[in-house]
Amino acid sequence: MSVLEIKNLHVNVETDQGTREILRGVDLVINEGEIHAIMGPNGSGKSTLAYTIAGHPKYTVVDGEILLDGENVLEMSVDERARAGLFLAMQYPVEIPGVTVTNFLRTAKTAIDGEAPAIRTWLKDVRGAMSNLKMDQAFAERNVNEGFSGGEKKRNEILQLELLKPKFAVLDETDSGLDVDALKIVSEGVNRAHQTTGLGILLITHYTRILRYIKPDFVHVFVAGRIAEQGGPELADRLEEEGYDRYQVAESAVVEAAAE
Amino acid sequence: MTAPQQSTAMPTAEQHGIRAHSDGAGAVVPVQTRSERFCSADVADFAPVNGREHEWKLSPVATFADLTGGELDGSRTPVESVEAEGVSVSWIGRDDVRIGTAGLPEDRGSANAWSSFGEAMLIAVTGEEQKTASVTRTALGSAPRAAHTVIEAAPNSRGLVVLRGTGDARLVENVEILVGEGANLTVVSLQEWSDDSVHLASHFARVGRDAKLKHIVVSLGGKVVRLNPSTHLAEQGGDVEALGLYFSDAGQHLEQQVYVHHDAPHTRSRVTYKGALQGEGARTVWIGDVLIGNAAVGTDSYEQNRNLVLTDGTRADSVPNLEIETGDIEGAGHASATGRFDDEQLFYLMARGIREEEARRLVVRGFLTEIVQQIGSPELEEHLIAALEAELQGS
């Protein structure tokens, strides 16, 4: 069984104002098949966690470990991580000029599997996955994310999730900016991938809305770069009612206490 | 976008650079209309090049002063030609009636070549069957040379002519392309010169009634390549498809000033140039002028330039100009965009398991093959795809 372990993770980012510490000791274990929701207010470091797992060069790990089945992920390049079975559904997917969705998907699939997919079954898989996500087949011939609406970009991310079949997927605010219909379609896609491949999911979100459609096994509340509280799905219900204020008051008290 | 300049003054010789002038001098009235630009086959009619003239201001003129101002070797250039049935290559004298019928030099380099060449190479295309012929010039040496070529497609003929340059060259030349009534001609000018080479070329095409020219410029090798194709759609129903593809590496200057003159009713033009830039000092220039004259009712025209910037330290100039003298046209448009392949795009592709070098290749290939696929010669297309791969590996 696969497992993704994050141990005492400290991450800095370079800004114009100098070095800022974003993650301040994150511990998390995700087993294959589990769905973990990470919830937290803006600026709490949720996206930093997502991009650090994927290996974005902007973030510097100063302490701690990320292990995938015991292998040191931090020593892997971005593409090696993807080939090892990690996937990041991005919040703001970028446009890739000159590369069609078809060409991109086939190239990525070939890279991940180490061999080109059999043409006939691959085309069928792509068409099927697109129609499940209610994506027009014409998307296949458009350049990746070029001129896509916000909802189309998110669907395109989930399309890749379904076709590339990773062991673990990090979904970075996949729900943000989606209307309710698009949210349902995208959530169905995530659930479908979860059921068919049994992948582990780290669902990063600001809102509880998506948790009506994707049921987490665990909920972690992220505040000021670390996990402030964790529990089962009931924790999400409580957040829905109370919001994040409780944690932020507690956090500022801690910071003040430390300053004295 | 540049709006047509309004002026009631007739342009005078001084305004066209017969005397020393510059864009920065202030008192000069700009040339009113693209077709009224000064032209002459005699180098003595042009003032020495100082680099501030509108036609030279984006070019590294100091690197080829010998070509615009010095003495040139006008003897026959050695060529290797692969002829086909219906395409012949021969040499004709300066007094041949065809010379000068497609256009005349608009800059001093072109005029210097015109004044200096001894004989012109004639590539004659006849017969209605489609065929492909190629003329390759290899290792022309490092002494400055002039050349003149006439490509003549007989009425109703069809053919594809490839002009290819490899090895060393310091060459300034003129190419006249005469497309007879109803003919369908493709000309591919392929620049694969050595790293130190300099090549300045002016192509003048005249497209006859209901004839079609596909003109493709592919510039990959050479320190400086400046190829300016102009097309005169002189008769009703003429059609030009002007395509370009360039890949500029560190320290390379690739330039093209494209001009299409719609001068008869129901003419059509499509101009599409795409380029990639990679490495410190990689430089490209594209200027696209389209003039839709008074007589050109029913014109259908569109020009576009796209550049893909792959690294820091590059510069792409892109200047589309559209001038319209009649309101009765079908359509006219232009577009220019210079985009960057940046670290976020690279991250996105790599986050899907794609290796860095493959990610770059994917983007560039996708971007440039649109042009390659329109050449119409499978062999040449294959050759170019391989050449582009080599360009990508080269850095």
Side-chain angles (χ1 to χ4, degrees), chain A residues 97-100 103 143, chain B residues 274 308 360-371 373:
Chain A
V99 182
T100 62
N103 190 1
N143 289 337
Chain B
K274 291 181 113 178
L308 180 64
R360 284 186 188 282
R361 216 171 359 211
L362 189 66
V363 168
V364 176
R365 208 195 286 142
F367 181 75
L368 295 178
T369 47
E370 182 196 332
I371 301 291
Q373 285 163 352

Side-chain angles (χ1 to χ4, degrees), chain B residues 308-345:
Chain B
L308 180 64
V309 174
L310 295 167
T311 62
D312 287 338
T314 68
R315 175 173 164 180
D317 284 275
S318 180
V319 188
N321 297 307
L322 177 58
E323 207 180 332
I324 307 177
E325 294 176 338
T326 172
D328 185 11
I329 60 169
E330 247 178 62
H334 63 190
S336 161
T338 297
R340 225 188 117 78
F341 179 59
D342 64 20
D343 293 344
E344 291 303 320
Q345 291 164 336

